[in-house]
Amino acid sequence: MAKNENKVAKISEARQQKAAQIEDIKSKIQNCKAMVIVDYKGISVADDTALRANFRKENVEYRVLKNRLVQIALNELGISGFDGHLEGPTAVAFANGDALAAAKVVANAKKTVNALEVKCGLMDGAYIDASTVEKLASIPSKEVLLAQLLGLLQSPISGLARALQQVAEKKAQ
């Protein structure tokens, strides 16, 4: 009897740990602005270390998680579309600051690390495929977009100022 009780205690302890991990994953999914799922098979330790450092700089949490636990967490949150993508070696990048940061870090890393492959992602609570993740990575940062907008807004004003200056110079002659 003691062996069976010990097995039951171990099983229930393991289930409790898995339930806690699922709750942690659900919390990360709910609190992140975006999520990118990648296949890291074939990445060297040096490349992985550099990738993790780049993620940290951009306030992105990068973790290797069990596919089944991620799938359970997504199902419990009512998020679908990930069924075929949670197979094989899988790492998840949770963007906590800039929503595009995870996609941009992965896209930059792919330039030098051919083994890194985007599987899919999550944005605004909805599944996005790998090509959409790559398109999102090509969007300029908020600062660059604001600078471009400022340039567009200043362009007509500076053109008007130049035209008025030329009119004033002609009248002065």
Side-chain angles (χ1 to χ4, degrees):
M1 275 293 192
K3 284 185 179 181
N4 286 341
E5 289 175 11
N6 198 13
K7 283 184 181 180
V8 170
K10 285 183 181 179
I11 290 172
S12 64
E13 185 179 319
R15 282 190 178 165
Q16 289 174 351
Q17 288 176 347
K18 286 182 182 178
Q21 289 174 337
I22 290 169
E23 288 303 315
D24 183 50
I25 294 168
K26 283 171 51 177
S27 172
K28 289 182 187 322
I29 292 170
Q30 289 173 321
N31 295 328
C32 73
K33 295 190 178 173
M35 176 176 89
V36 176
I37 297 176
V38 297
D39 182 347
Y40 64 92
K41 183 179 181 182
I43 296 177
S44 70
V45 173
D47 289 337
D48 188 54
T49 303
L51 181 64
R52 287 177 186 273
N54 290 334
F55 278 130
R56 274 191 297 278
K57 285 181 201 170
E58 297 297 326
N59 193 22
V60 175
E61 185 177 349
Y62 176 75
R63 297 192 48 200
V64 174
L65 299 169
K66 290 187 177 185
N67 292 329
R68 184 74 182 127
L69 298 181
V70 174
Q71 185 66 55
I72 291 169
L74 289 167
N75 288 342
E76 287 183 8
L77 291 171
I79 302 170
S80 60
F82 291 85
D83 294 337
H85 300 287
L86 293 171
E87 297 173 354
T90 303
V92 183
F94 299 98
N96 297 313
D98 180 12
L100 303 177
K104 288 180 183 224
V105 170
V106 171
N108 286 338
K110 279 184 66 168
K111 293 175 185 174
T112 58
V113 182
N114 294 332
L116 189 65
E117 195 63 41
V118 175
K119 290 184 175 186
C120 59
L122 177 82
M123 183 167 262
D124 294 328
Y127 165 84
I128 53 175
D129 62 7
S131 65
T132 304
V133 171
E134 291 171 7
K135 287 176 188 172
L136 289 172
S138 67
I139 295 174
S141 69
K142 182 179 179 180
E143 293 79 19
V144 171
L145 288 173
L146 288 173
Q148 289 174 346
L149 177 63
L150 184 61
L152 285 172
L153 293 174
Q154 286 181 336
S155 178
I157 294 170
S158 61
L160 177 63
R162 281 193 294 273
L164 292 174
Q165 180 67 30
Q166 288 177 352
V167 169
E169 286 175 4
K170 281 187 179 182
K171 287 189 176 186
Q173 292 176 352

